Amino acid sequence: MTDLLYSEAEGDLRAAVRSLLADRADPADLPGRIEAGSPYDPALWTALAADMGTAGLLVPEKLGGQGASHREAAVVLEELGRAVTPVPYLTSSVIATETLLAARAGDLLGELATGRKAAVLAVPLSAGTDHAPATTGTVTGVADADRADVLLVVRPDGLYAVDAAEAGIVPQTPLDLTRPLATVTADSGGTRLADAATAREAVRRGLLAGAGLLASEQLGVAEWCLEETVRHTRERHQFNRPVGSFQALKHRMAQLWLEVVNARAAARNAADALATGSPEAPLAVTVAQVYCSRVAVHAAEECVQLHGGIGMTWEHPAHLYLKRAKADQIALGSVGHHKQTLADLADLPAPA
């Protein structure tokens, strides 16, 4: 049977990432940084991606990476989700990296693995694994484009690496202010990495890995929301007793705990299926996305509501988790898209 428990190495990785984020990326500081227009900290990205080596977890050692797997990358994303950290890990170290691995673009992979560069696949954040790349040269809703050094652009004749400084990048207003979106125009120039057929398969693999590991980010969001809500309801008193001791709230948090436990199983299963190259990976990813998307939103909604008045304020980070959860819910395929994919994979067509 598949072992979904965390290994000792994964536990050590989690402790290291959590310690770094506790020192450098406190969620309580995020609203102020967003208000100042500087949520992204390049020094934090360097520490996480280059100094700690997490950017190269999916890259083989012979190409300059760590030679780890999707399970370890999932642990990093859990911690980034817990802190709603505004870094391009999902977009660069997972989606773009997996795309380049499938396209066999070793030189650029080495630069991504060492953290010297960040790359972004120029497709909408909402793109599902069956996404058909645009042929107009302009793509809207590209996540983290303004944080990328290189854009991976799909054109009719193949996949190209384009210097981000040479592309047109126009910021859009996102719901999730910790993950910026932009309209990207890059219809000429760049270095051709793969032909059209290889590019299609590479993009599919990149988006599948992204969707599978997005579930781990959603798990991290849900875990923080549950733990923060339990902490707050223990400390907040009404009628001379903690509000968390009221039975109605106990029931709600117990239900949420069960959902988070199940979400952990679904997310870990998706990461393991990707790590082992299982033929069931598309099914595992789809199940994880359908379930974890809902749990993350529910946990964030409960966090905001059970914090009472303070949960509605800009200063408290609860709203950032709700926005991240809602944005993630339609990222890399909506829940409806994944349900349809699940029905197709299981050969269960919808009623006529």
Side-chain angles (χ1 to χ4, degrees):
M1 291 180 64
T2 299
D3 184 2
L4 300 183
L5 298 177
Y6 298 97
S7 67
E8 183 178 352
E10 289 166 353
D12 292 341
L13 175 62
R14 179 190 305 283
V17 174
R18 185 174 295 188
S19 176
L20 173 66
L21 298 181
D23 290 340
R24 306 277 291 274
D26 188 343
D29 298 333
L30 256 181
R33 301 212 315 267
I34 291 173
E35 204 163 48
S38 57
Y40 175 54
D41 180 0
L44 171 62
W45 173 244
T46 298
L48 176 72
D51 300 344
M52 194 172 287
T54 62
L57 288 175
L58 297 183
V59 180
E61 291 185 61
K62 65 181 180 181
L63 296 177
Q66 305 300 318
S69 75
H70 300 79
R71 288 176 60 117
E72 288 79 12
V75 169
V76 175
L77 278 164
E78 283 181 41
E79 293 306 308
L80 295 177
R82 286 177 65 94
V84 285
T85 313
V87 293
Y89 191 83
L90 176 69
T91 47
S92 180
S93 303
V94 175
I95 299 174
T97 295
E98 189 79 15
T99 301
L100 290 171
L101 282 168
R104 297 181 292 279
D107 292 342
L108 184 52
L109 267 172
E111 293 185 287
L112 264 60
T114 58
R116 291 196 301 269
K117 288 186 177 180
V120 165
L121 179 63
V123 300
L125 180 61
S126 60
T129 54
D130 58 352
H131 173 69
T135 58
T136 62
T138 297
V139 183
T140 60
V142 179
D144 292 328
D146 63 345
R147 298 171 182 173
D149 301 293
V150 179
L151 296 172
L152 303 182
V153 180
V154 182
R155 296 175 184 151
D157 62 335
L159 180 69
Y160 286 77
V162 178
D163 190 327
E166 298 175 1
I169 299 176
V170 180
Q172 297 176 258
T173 302
L175 171 64
D176 176 8
L177 298 175
T178 65
R179 180 169 281 152
L181 303 178
T183 297
V184 172
T185 302
D187 49 9
S188 63
T191 303
R192 190 167 182 255
L193 302 176
D195 59 30
T198 303
R200 284 193 297 272
E201 175 59 19
V203 170
R204 187 196 70 79
R205 274 187 51 182
L207 294 176
L208 181 68
L213 297 192
L214 177 63
S216 292
E217 177 180 290
Q218 291 164 326
L219 171 61
V221 168
E223 286 179 334
W224 184 91
C225 290
L226 174 60
E227 291 173 16
E228 173 62 18
T229 302
V230 170
R231 183 203 62 77
H232 176 77
T233 55
R234 280 177 176 167
E235 297 177 359
R236 179 79 168 90
H237 283 67
Q238 284 185 351
F239 309 110
N240 275 336
R241 57 186 291 194
V243 296
S245 66
F246 292 108
Q247 191 173 39
L249 298 193
K250 284 183 177 180
H251 286 171
R252 288 170 65 170
M253 286 183 281
Q255 176 60 36
L256 190 56
W257 180 82
L258 289 173
E259 292 178 8
V260 170
V261 169
N262 290 331
R264 185 178 300 113
R268 291 292 291 169
N269 185 52
D272 185 77
L274 289 167
T276 58
S278 168
E280 297 296 319
L283 181 62
V285 167
T286 300
V287 169
Q289 267 304 298
V290 169
Y291 192 78
C292 295
S293 293
R294 182 183 65 80
V295 172
V297 171
H298 183 213
E301 289 174 340
E302 291 288 78
C303 181
V304 170
Q305 187 172 26
L306 296 183
H307 271 74
I310 194 173
M312 306 292 181
T313 64
W314 172 264
E315 290 76 13
H316 195 281
H319 66 96
L320 298 177
Y321 286 85
L322 179 57
K323 291 169 184 173
R324 173 66 70 88
K326 293 294 288 184
D328 280 358
Q329 194 174 36
I330 58 173
L332 300 170
S334 66
V335 172
H337 164 81
H338 287 293
K339 284 183 176 180
Q340 182 59 57
T341 301
L342 181 60
D344 294 340
L345 289 170
D347 195 23
L348 291 172

